[in-house]
């Protein structure tokens, strides 16, 4: 009995279940000094009202700034990847991404 | 997850129920803030974030590896309760006791793979954690798996990492969706995966621990942490574990993996992202009544299939399958029947909900009186699987809908050759 207790009191080393990831190195992107002349991108998550909200944001931004181009992507389903993200990743200077439910 | 200080401009309420004008007004109020976060120097935004949040707490919550290096070992006294407590406080368990993953136990598990211990098999979303044999083995030991389960876990992880499965969405969604593992082929008997009485319930080590190992991996490798990155509103008991074999012996049809393109002698695991089981009872012993009852049960309103189509799973017990088969129905015929008859009257959708349904199911005649929508977009999307024992019960498993597609992977060596037995992996050259 005492032998069993002593065994249970021994300190053991256990392996770690957490996986390595490269994602931790992503930091906040440098900010822009002005939005004029930039390539804007608007990503709509496809949820109710997102297109109305983002459409209004785009309209207001266009009243203030001259963008060289505005790119759009809209998720067909909120849980699926939006088509056109690769182009946006390559070209856009900034992205306004609709999140939430 | 990798950008905890990402500036997010929040609308202080949901958009549900607002008119377009109200939504536009909400946008007008936030436009200055949107411009500000795009043009304020990065360092200042980070500083703002730090002043409003306890950065250590946020990092611990969102990115545990910053706090706990992935190779660092945990010291514990040699009993399961203390080891469980040490892992639980780090957020590494499902809340149940674990088998303490000692190096010795992990090594035993690694005997059953022909891959190198640090080789990345796939990366699991949303953290894009590298699923290596070593990390799979650690989580499998914790879950209570036997070493010979390892080949099934490797195949299941490959399936979960297939882009078609869309694990990112399943991990992060508010929906109560969980991966169901269906095991087919000779490995099913070798590992004693239950496929008969109570196959979805307790009592069998392989079913219980294979499913549990997958959940622990989704947390510890994929980073799907309940309440933090996993935003399920209610969750689902199947998120603890959900694994069963197909009852191939008593099924009148070819096994599921054969219907999905593999040879019968190959072992395979199929992963399907499902919601809770909807049980139905068929009292009459005729095949016609089974088909009718099943189609009605599958016509359930407001499941993700109703909303998003995609795959819908019909679980038939072998008795029902045999009766229906004797009527001349093949598996494909049952799929076609359910496609034709499992449908929802469009008139039952409240008018306020119609625009939401129309957006996702546009092909139906929403302005036509007495029109119906089918629960899938094609017969092939009805997955028919024979699980359980002879009896009156059948089950409909709605899935997450079309954002996810089920994936089947053979139990195979690294070069793709299917393995006849899990024991053929043992001590194979890595």
């Amino acid at each position: 009995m005492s032998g069993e207790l002593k065994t249970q009191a021994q300190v053991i080393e256990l392996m770690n279940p957490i996986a390595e990831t490269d994602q931790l190195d992503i930091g906040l992107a440098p900010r822009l000094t002005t939005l004029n002349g930039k390539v804007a991108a608007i990503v709509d998550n496809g949820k109710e009202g997102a297109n109305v909200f983002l459409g209004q944001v785009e309209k207001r931004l266009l009243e203030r700034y001259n963008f060289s181009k505005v790119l759009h992507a809209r998720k067909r389903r909120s849980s699926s990847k939006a088509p056109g993200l690769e182009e946006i990743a390559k070209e856009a200077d900034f992205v306004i991404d609709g999140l939430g439910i | 997850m990798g950008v905890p200080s990402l500036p997010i401009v929040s609308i202080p309420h949901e958009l549900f129920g607002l008119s377009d004008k109200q939504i536009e007004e909400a946008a007008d109020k936030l436009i200055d803030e949107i411009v500000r976060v795009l043009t304020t120097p990065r360092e200042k935004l980070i500083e703002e974030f730090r002043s409003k949040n306890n950065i250590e707490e946020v990092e611990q919550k969102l990115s545990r590896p910053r706090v706990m290096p992935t190779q660092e070992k945990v010291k514990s006294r040699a009993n399961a309760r203390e080891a469980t407590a040490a892992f639980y406080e780090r957020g590494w368990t499902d809340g149940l006791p674990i088998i303490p993953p000692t190096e010795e136990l992990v090594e035993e598990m690694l005997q059953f793979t022909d891959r190198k211990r640090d080789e990345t098999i796939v990366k699991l979303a949303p953290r894009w954690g590298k699923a290596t044999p070593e990390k799979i083995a650690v989580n499998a030991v914790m879950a209570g798996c036997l070493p010979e389960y390892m080949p099934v876990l490797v195949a299941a992880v490959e399936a979960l990492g297939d882009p078609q499965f869309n694990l990112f969405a399943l991990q992060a969604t508010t929906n109560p969706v969980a991966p169901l593992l269906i095991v087919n082929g000779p490995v099913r008997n070798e590992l004693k995966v239950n496929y008969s009485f109570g196959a979805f319930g307790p009592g069998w080590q392989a079913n219980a621990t294979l499913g549990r190992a997958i959940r622990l991996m989704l947390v510890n490798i994929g980073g799907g942490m309940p309440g933090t990155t996993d935003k399920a509103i209610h969750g689902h008991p199947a998120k603890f574990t959900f694994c069963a074999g197909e009852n191939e012996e008593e099924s009148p049809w070819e096994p599921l993996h054969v219907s999905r393109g593999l040879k019968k002698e190959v072992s395979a695991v199929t992963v399907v992202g499902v919601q809770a089981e909807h049980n139905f009872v068929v009292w009459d012993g005729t095949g016609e009544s089974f088909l009718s009852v099943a189609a009605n049960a599958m016509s359930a309103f407001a499941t993700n299939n109703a909303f998003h189509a995609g795959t819908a799973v019909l679980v038939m017990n072998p008795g029902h399958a045999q009766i229906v088969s004797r009527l001349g129905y093949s598996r494909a015929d049952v799929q076609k029947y359910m496609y034709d008859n499992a449908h929802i009257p469009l008139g039952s959708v409240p008018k306020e909900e119609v625009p939401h349904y129309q957006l996702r199911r546009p092909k139906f005649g929403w302005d036509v009186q007495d029109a119906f929508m089918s629960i899938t977009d094609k017969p092939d999307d009805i997955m028919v699987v024979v699980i359980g024992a002879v009896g009156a019960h059948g089950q409909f498993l709605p899935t997450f809908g079309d954002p996810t597609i089920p994936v089947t992977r053979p139990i195979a060596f690294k070069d793709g050759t299917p393995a006849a037995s899990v024991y053929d992996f043992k001590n194979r050259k890595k």
Side-chain angles (χ1 to χ4, degrees):
Chain A
M1 186 66 185
S2 62
E4 190 186 327
L5 285 175
K6 193 177 170 187
T7 307
Q8 291 206 3
Q10 279 177 348
V11 172
I12 51 171
E13 277 196 339
L14 302 176
M15 295 188 70
N16 190 312
I18 298 288
E20 309 271 351
T21 176
D22 299 328
Q23 297 297 306
L24 297 177
D25 297 326
I26 299 171
L28 196 58
R31 302 289 108 173
L32 303 165
T33 51
T34 176
L35 302 186
N36 273 323
K38 304 298 182 191
V39 178
I42 294 184
V43 179
D44 175 349
N45 69 353
K47 295 260 178 171
E48 281 63 31
N51 56 339
V52 180
F53 182 87
L54 292 167
Q56 182 72 1
V57 167
E58 181 179 348
K59 184 178 148 195
R60 294 297 181 214
L61 290 176
L62 286 169
E63 287 167 4
R64 298 188 191 186
Y65 303 99
N66 294 311
F67 299 132
S68 65
K69 199 196 278 190
V70 183
L71 302 169
H72 296 93
R74 184 172 204 211
K75 291 186 180 189
R76 194 174 66 85
R77 300 276 194 265
S78 52
S79 301
S80 307
K81 193 175 155 189
L85 289 185
E86 288 77 10
E87 188 195 353
I88 284 176
K90 268 188 214 151
E91 279 199 57
D93 293 306
F94 70 92
V95 178
I96 298 173
D97 186 5
L99 304 170
I101 56 170
Chain B
M1 299 178 82
V3 196
S5 56
L6 182 73
I8 294 172
V9 179
S10 300
I11 307 164
H13 44 74
E14 66 273 14
L15 297 179
F16 286 129
L18 296 188
S19 67
D20 285 3
K21 188 165 180 297
Q22 288 171 313
I23 293 173
E24 286 165 5
E25 284 168 7
D28 285 346
K29 282 185 192 154
L30 293 173
I31 197 76
D32 288 339
E33 180 62 7
I34 290 170
V35 171
R36 194 185 76 80
V37 300
L38 287 169
T39 53
T40 299
R42 162 168 66 176
E43 295 68 25
K44 188 156 186 296
L45 290 172
I46 294 171
E47 191 49 46
E48 270 177 26
F49 177 82
R50 283 175 183 270
S51 71
K52 286 183 199 154
N53 298 280
N54 179 337
I55 189 76
E56 283 73 28
E57 198 178 286
V58 171
E59 289 194 339
Q60 188 180 4
K61 215 170 166 188
L62 296 182
S63 317
R64 291 174 193 279
R66 288 174 196 248
V67 182
M68 184 70 195
T70 57
Q71 292 303 323
E72 188 177 314
K73 292 190 172 147
V74 176
K75 287 194 169 62
S76 159
R77 287 203 291 170
N79 66 75
R81 190 166 69 182
E82 293 203 20
T84 296
F87 275 47
Y88 178 67
E89 71 185 26
R90 291 171 166 84
W92 294 351
T93 77
D94 51 7
L96 292 170
I98 57 160
I99 301 285
T102 59
E103 192 151 352
E104 184 188 4
L105 292 179
V106 172
E107 286 301 329
E108 280 180 23
M109 192 135 291
L110 288 170
Q111 297 298 308
F112 282 85
T113 178
D114 61 339
R115 294 169 187 263
K116 295 198 169 72
R117 66 186 298 149
D118 59 351
E119 170 188 338
T120 300
I121 297 168
V122 287
K123 293 180 182 177
L124 297 184
R127 222 178 115 252
W128 303 111
K130 296 173 186 174
T132 62
E134 181 181 295
K135 294 300 181 183
I136 293 171
V138 174
N139 284 282
V141 169
M142 288 166 63
C145 289
L146 298 178
E148 57 267 36
Y149 298 177
M150 185 70 180
V152 174
L153 292 172
V154 169
V157 166
E158 277 185 326
L160 293 171
D162 186 312
Q164 282 201 122
F165 190 68
N166 195 10
L167 182 64
F168 201 119
L170 270 79
Q171 287 263 65
T173 181
T174 53
N175 202 279
V177 58
L180 163 64
L181 273 57
I182 302 170
V183 181
N184 277 100
V187 159
R188 190 210 54 185
N189 274 348
E190 222 173 18
L191 301 182
K192 299 185 178 63
V193 178
N194 181 24
Y195 52 85
S196 183
F197 284 102
F200 289 154
W204 279 267
Q205 186 176 11
N207 300 51
T209 65
L210 282 167
R212 187 186 182 203
I214 291 300
R215 172 53 49 190
L216 292 176
M217 285 185 240
L218 291 179
V219 173
N220 293 326
I221 299 177
M225 288 169 284
T228 307
T229 44
D230 168 356
K231 304 302 272 189
I233 301 297
H234 299 99
H236 180 188
K239 292 182 86 158
F240 280 100
T241 182
F242 205 18
C243 171
E246 188 179 29
N247 192 337
E248 297 177 18
E249 286 82 349
E250 295 186 276
S251 168
W253 302 310
E254 76 283 5
L256 179 71
H257 67 305
V258 175
S259 76
R260 296 175 62 80
L262 295 176
K263 290 185 176 155
K264 192 171 189 303
E265 62 273 21
V266 171
S267 294
V269 60
T270 300
V271 296
V272 199
V274 296
Q275 300 182 323
E277 303 151 88
H278 175 153
N279 198 78
F280 56 85
V281 183
V282 186
W283 295 113
D284 181 53
T286 64
E288 286 90 349
S289 76
F290 170 84
L291 291 166
S292 172
V293 170
N296 276 295
M298 295 183 85
S299 306
F301 188 67
T303 65
N304 264 39
N305 286 123
F307 210 48
H308 280 304
T311 302
V313 182
L314 174 63
V315 179
M316 295 178 71
N317 81 51
H320 285 150
Q322 288 162 18
I323 292 166
V324 168
S325 168
R326 282 200 292 273
L327 287 179
Y329 281 81
S330 66
R331 179 185 238 123
D333 294 333
V334 175
Q335 291 174 301
K336 176 78 167 53
Y337 183 97
M338 296 303 152
Y339 173 73
D340 288 340
N341 293 281
H343 52 204
I344 296 162
L346 300 187
S348 67
V349 179
K351 67 177 190 314
E352 297 80 4
E353 294 286 306
V354 166
H356 308 294
Y357 275 81
Q358 263 182 315
L359 189 67
R360 292 164 178 86
R361 309 295 306 272
K363 74 174 188 177
F364 299 100
W366 287 91
D367 50 355
V368 178
Q369 199 163 5
D370 300 328
F372 290 90
M373 63 176 167
S374 56
I375 64 154
T376 66
D377 283 337
K378 52 187 190 298
D380 275 354
D381 288 344
I382 306 279
M383 179 185 278
V384 175
V385 58
V386 179
I387 295 174
V390 174
H393 298 273
Q395 298 199 323
F396 163 42
L397 300 182
T399 69
F400 190 46
D402 80 348
T404 184
I405 296 173
V407 177
T408 300
R409 280 283 177 281
I411 313 299
F413 299 114
K414 191 181 169 182
D415 65 8
T417 313
S421 160
V422 288
Y423 295 96
D424 292 344
F425 283 91
K426 201 167 183 195
N427 301 322
R428 197 174 156 101
K429 191 171 176 293
K430 293 191 196 314

